[in-house]
Amino acid sequence: MPRRRLVVTGDDFGAAPEVNAGIVRAHREGILTATSLMVTGAAVGEAVALARENPRLAVGLHLVLAQGRPAADVPHLVTRRGTFRDEPITTALRYAWAVVSGRGRGDLRREVEAQLAAFAATGLPLAHVDGHLNMHLHPMVLPMLLELAPRHGIRAMRLSREALGPALRHDPRHLVRKLFEGTAFGALAAWARPRLRAAGIVTADRVYGMHQTGHVDEAYVLALVAHLPEGVSELYCHPSEGVAATMAPYQRGYDHAGEVAALTSPRVREAVKAAGVELASYATL
């Protein structure tokens, strides 16, 4: 019988105590198998301690290059407040110009390596790498990650893209945003896929949750499980036990409680079992 495996990842681990609590609950009581750690997050120490208490929770690096603090001294990448810029599109364009012009390439590489080193310092096994706002697929960032992969043991990475049709059939709202996401990340994934394959980096066959970000509710997860294709799929989401003050400006309208409820839902757990879907992580692929 063809295997259908599903990696369920909670992003932003370490961002705040509320996020840590939601992720750990979704893992202990539900279907969440993995998480992605913000190594400069306000609650990173607590997150690392919780990860050690839950050794079956696979932990990867959530590379932060926007909406957060740097791990290194990178003056060309930050604002006067010493933080990364908030707006993802203009920030991505700035990084492209910084590398092309030569003024920021060293800073960008230094920051990527500093976050990998900070993760290594936790002592946790590195299950995978992904990025806040999927910035890890930036054409100036991914080559640096691939160059550093052998040294830092990067063996798996999220190849972010999602089919637009099924997402719109489930929820037709936010059409413009979803069209942009589908187009932009479809192109980035097509560019990144052969490079990741050549480097021996494992990726899922498909990824879900991008177009439904902040609203991965029970109905969405049940529909996903019912129609999950064979192969390896990843669902990523943002569970949290409440609205974290540090994340609130960037996640307006997110239904964190609904995501925790979906991941811990008895109906969802029964549907996964009935459909013969194997819960997995990048660490176990």
Side-chain angles (χ1 to χ4, degrees):
M1 184 176 180
R3 298 179 71 184
R4 295 187 296 161
R5 289 181 285 178
L6 179 63
V7 177
V8 185
T9 308
D11 282 0
D12 303 336
F13 198 43
E18 297 92 336
V19 177
N20 295 346
I23 286 171
V24 169
R25 181 182 166 199
H27 172 64
R28 288 176 175 170
E29 302 177 20
I31 65 168
L32 190 139
T33 59
T35 188
S36 301
L37 181 69
M38 288 179 158
V39 294
T40 60
V44 64
E46 179 192 62
V48 172
L50 287 168
R52 290 180 180 140
E53 293 172 10
N54 295 274
R56 295 183 63 185
L57 178 64
V59 184
L61 171 66
H62 199 49
L63 184 69
V64 175
L65 296 172
Q67 299 178 354
R69 298 185 297 111
D73 180 19
V74 286
H76 291 102
L77 306 185
V78 296
T79 67
R80 292 178 181 178
R81 302 189 310 273
T83 60
F84 294 123
R85 292 170 175 82
D86 292 343
E87 212 289 319
I89 297 175
T90 57
T91 299
L93 293 173
R94 281 178 177 271
Y95 288 160
W97 171 247
V99 172
V100 170
S101 67
R103 294 191 307 168
R105 179 178 176 80
D107 277 9
L108 191 58
R109 191 183 189 285
R110 191 176 306 114
E111 181 60 27
V112 171
E113 189 156 25
Q115 292 191 34
L116 285 165
F119 188 98
T122 68
L124 299 171
L126 180 63
H128 64 275
V129 170
D130 56 45
H132 188 54
L133 303 170
N134 293 298
M135 201 70 79
H136 64 297
L137 293 183
H138 191 295
M140 305 303 167
V141 175
L142 183 63
M144 296 178 183
L145 285 169
L146 295 180
E147 179 188 344
L148 294 166
R151 187 187 314 169
H152 290 275
I154 300 173
R155 294 183 294 274
M157 202 174 296
R158 178 183 296 158
L159 185 57
S160 313
R161 77 282 189 212
E162 183 176 5
L164 188 59
L168 289 175
R169 284 193 293 274
H170 176 79
D171 184 353
R173 296 174 299 170
H174 311 296
L175 175 62
V176 173
R177 171 178 65 80
K178 292 175 181 179
L179 282 171
F180 175 79
E181 289 172 346
T183 302
F185 285 100
L188 281 172
W191 170 81
R193 184 182 291 106
R195 291 163 172 80
L196 290 164
R197 186 181 298 118
I201 304 294
V202 172
T203 63
D205 298 314
R206 63 200 65 83
V207 173
Y208 299 96
M210 175 187 292
H211 297 313
Q212 201 65 17
T213 187
H215 299 277
V216 176
D217 56 18
E218 185 185 64
Y220 179 82
V221 180
L222 287 172
L224 170 62
V225 170
H227 299 96
L228 195 69
E230 60 185 77
V232 178
S233 302
E234 180 185 8
L235 168 65
Y236 75 91
C237 49
H238 300 84
S240 179
E241 295 280 15
V243 179
T246 54
M247 303 301 289
Y250 316 122
Q251 298 181 339
R252 292 183 178 90
Y254 276 31
D255 181 14
H256 298 295
E259 296 205 351
V260 174
L263 296 171
T264 58
S265 162
R267 291 182 65 200
V268 166
R269 286 187 277 115
E270 181 57 36
V272 168
K273 182 179 178 180
V277 172
E278 302 174 38
L279 295 175
S281 72
Y282 286 110
T284 60
L285 292 180

